[in-house]
Amino acid sequence: MNYANFEFLLFSAAVVLLYYLAGKKLQKYVLLLANAAFYLIAGAKYIPFIAVSILTTFFCAKKISGIWKKEAVYLDICTDISQEKEIRAASKASAKKYLMLAFFIIIGMLAVCKYSRFVAENINRVLASLSVKQIPTFRMVLPIGIAFYTFMAISYLLDVYRKRYEAENSLLLYAVYQSYFPHVIQGPIDRYDKFSEQLRGGVALNEKNLVFGAELVLWGLFKKLVIADRLGLFVDTIYNGWEEYTGVVFALATALYTIQIYADYSGCIDIVSGVSEMMGIKLTRNFNHPFFSKTMPESWRRWHISLTEWFKDYIVSPISTSQFVQSIEEKRALKDKKRTGELFASCFPAFVAWTVMGVWYGARWTFLVWGLYHACLIILGNIFRNPLKKLNTKLNIDSKTFSWKLWQMIRTFILCPIGSVFFRAENLKAAFGIFRRSLMKLNLAGVWGAQLYTYGLDRNNFTVAIISILILLIVDMLQERMPVRKTIAKQNLVFRWLLIYAAVVALLIFGMYGPGYDANAFIFEII
Amino acid sequence: MKTERKAIRIILFFLILILIILALQIPFRNKDSIAPEMVYGFYAEEKNSLDAVYIGSNTTYAFWQGTTAWENTGIAVYPFAVPSLPAQSLKYMIIEARKTQENPLFILNLNTFGTTEIQPEYIHKTTNYLSLSANKLKMIDMLLDASGVKGLDRLEYYLPIIRYHDEWQNTKANDVVREYYNYKGAEHNKTHFSTMKDISKWDRVIGTSEPVSEIQKTILEDLFQYIREENLKVLFVLVPNEASKPEKLEQLNSVAHYVSDAGFSVLNLVNQKSELNLDTTTDYYNEQNTNIHGALKFSAYLTDYLSENYTFTDKRGSDDYKSWDEAAKKWKKQAAPYVLDIELNYEKRDSELEAPTLSLKRTTKNNAALSWNNVDDADAYHVYRKDSKKNVWEHLTELPADAQSYTDKGLKSGVTYTYTIIASRDEAGMDVYGNCDYAGKAVTLP
């Protein structure tokens, strides 16, 4: 589903108009209709899946909330500690049943749709080598957005289970949340409380929302159409025909791919966030200039933030505080090996989280390897953090200087793309092939002079790509230090209008859109 | 801030945005080489200055060369034509032309009726350069309906930047500043000047075996109605060419008969190649279009026809038509390496008089020896020479009927000399010239 096209913009404009015309009372209905219309166009035959997901989640959460309410009432009345324990245990068991039921249904759907074929295919590979009869593989059914809305549903259920807030009473409001067209297909993964509080009372027409939202949409379109899709030409040439190339060109392609993926994904997020902002609903932040990160952990706090936050709250946290991990930590402490216990407590949950995250992106071995790669980086980072610090003081390196920070950013920009190779390559063979071929020969000539312009981007397009990346860099740098849209709003009218006009003109001339191009759908199809 | 001021601001913002987007359509559109010249040149003509406006597609401006017509008779006829113009667009082109030329003779090229099935590409080619107007929008609308383009796909035809924004790599100052030298629609490219394709194998007598189609009838009736309502002076022309599908020509011939049966003036030249003295071995650059040699013959014929059947004043020497003099001069300079003076001067031709076959030899250092065969009915031979420095065909000498050879003396070393010979016969005191090998034969002295 491509957001960077005229149809989507037209659709959004119509929805925004109706939204405000409908007034505070009817806005939720407008949104529900809009979500339905959107999903109908995006994938009408998958509506049953999202409907089942919404209904299951809503009703199970209500049941869980009901159980907690009853528990609160009983606890109020009871006086006995042992009775208290019983009540709590009983309530917990009851609530857990509903939680598991909901999980079974919604995660089950996700697992079957997304992974059954992958699992079956790989089992078949093994069976084939053993010359045993193959198991049937079903045709893939990929309900659009199932990975995202399932995660949203999980976060809601767990929040209600953990008593963070009560379950929603209005099916309408919950349905709007889970099917919300700006985030249903590619995130961000919003939390229910933050979302619903903005919409619950209705939203008044506000000029700032409209203007800022529109500016964000424009910026997102620029990133996607001018930068990402343009870089894609280069990256595709190298990665799709990797067997023909050697040397440094892979490094260049991977670096450009990393920028492409950032511009593409953050651009699309900006488009939908802008549309949502125009309706007064701010979506959770998903990117925070990841390439200014100085350490890998920082980069994960800046990239696909809603996803890593989700993993932190719903996978890492529960595992760290789980019996299993706690008991190991205690055991190691007792054996006077406190350090290993601590390490285990910090690394194991992260390991699980990253492996799952890799697979969440898609049912491919390459994604799994990508996840494991990052898991290893975390583990290594944890193990070597203290020794490296000691080394710094010994070598008298001041870690607060700009030059050191720059080195750190460069280091991040080297480590991340190595993982990206796995993300982009079609399969493991290609990924390892690429590593091998990039080290085979240096082949500087391949990226020097006229040769550089033979990989899908001629000189003119390459220049535009570089200039627009610089613009991206400058704007991101500015955004680190100040709220750019607010600053623009403070400038004079002529400047503001000229800026918008310039952006529109740049988009119309340099954007990769129109009948000459295949609509470059969202870069990695996360279903 | 007051709501009125805010509302005005918002409206102003979007208004300026729309104007910017419209302005952007100018550098970003179909960069067909000839349409902008034809169209802008037409718009640049003085109001009500043209004797005739000749409307059609490629065959219009391939055949009609207005500068020579001007030079010989002082009539101003402009080809308001664009490539791939379909028949449906004729009426709209007339309407467009009448914005600046109130009541000229409209010459309508019936060859456009070969195109009634509209491919979407034609829409860009034929409309991108017209000025924004209600008529243009109606024309685009009509073409879109006829070609079956629906919904948002139609947007690119109103805003060509959607398809052509990639042209930023090729945009030149010319596209924005609109500085095309006005050759009054005369062709001036290498293909038209120097390509000669032998299309004689397709030459045949065209009948009317293929009837007029329903869609052609609809278009014609609509056109007739408009012409009658507006009381326009119209001449329909069907030019003489070949087509790889002979049914097409048969059908066009039927169309021509249909039009003349309806009472309109038709100049049907489809079987008149010999009348125009066209030589199908040298006068075409492809089956459809004449090159400069055929075009000059056609232009001579049509100019003659117009002079005999219409009263146009000879405006040579008039101050208001200086641009035509300049255009003619400039165009002649471009054409000089390729054409003989007798072509430019509309001298009488006879396609039955063969072209002499020339053989060329280098004798001693500074001489070229020419020899040729005897041509029946020839009363004289004319030798033309072109040297690689000046690169202009010049009449070298005239020789009597019995001459079969000639030696050109005093040539310079290192220069390439090209020769050709044309025969002429005497007709009532005037020279009538035969066919010619315009490419000639060349020799370079060491």
Side-chain angles (χ1 to χ4, degrees), chain B residues 334-353:
Chain B
Q334 302 244 329
Y338 306 99
V339 295
L340 312 178
D341 51 6
I342 55 149
E343 301 180 81
L344 295 173
N345 297 332
Y346 285 1
E347 299 285 348
K348 262 199 108 185
R349 306 294 292 273
D350 178 3
S351 55
E352 300 282 305
L353 194 57

Side-chain angles (χ1 to χ4, degrees), chain B residues 96-117:
Chain B
E96 191 70 17
R98 291 182 73 203
K99 290 180 186 171
T100 49
Q101 308 293 328
E102 238 181 79
N103 200 15
L105 168 69
F106 283 104
I107 308 177
L108 302 180
N109 196 335
L110 283 174
N111 296 73
T112 53
F113 280 86
T115 311
T116 49
E117 255 183 59

Side-chain angles (χ1 to χ4, degrees), chain A residues 6-7 207 458 460-461 464 493 497 500-501 505 508-511 513-515 517, chain B residues 6 9 12-13 16-17 20-21 24 28 152 155-156 161-163 165-166 168-169:
Chain A
F6 195 63
E7 285 90 349
E207 182 189 341
D458 60 19
N460 284 325
N461 271 314
V464 170
L493 183 110
W497 284 19
I500 305 284
Y501 292 147
V505 169
L508 283 177
I509 297 180
F510 299 110
Y513 67 92
Y517 299 97
Chain B
K6 222 174 219 175
R9 266 204 192 177
L12 197 61
F13 174 81
I16 298 181
L17 186 63
I20 291 179
I21 293 178
L24 273 184
F28 296 102
L152 279 178
L155 200 56
E156 66 165 285
I161 192 174
I162 292 174
R163 177 178 283 271
H165 58 87
D166 243 7
W168 62 267
Q169 306 197 46

Side-chain angles (χ1 to χ4, degrees), chain B residues 109 124 265:
Chain B
N109 196 335
H124 278 301
S265 308

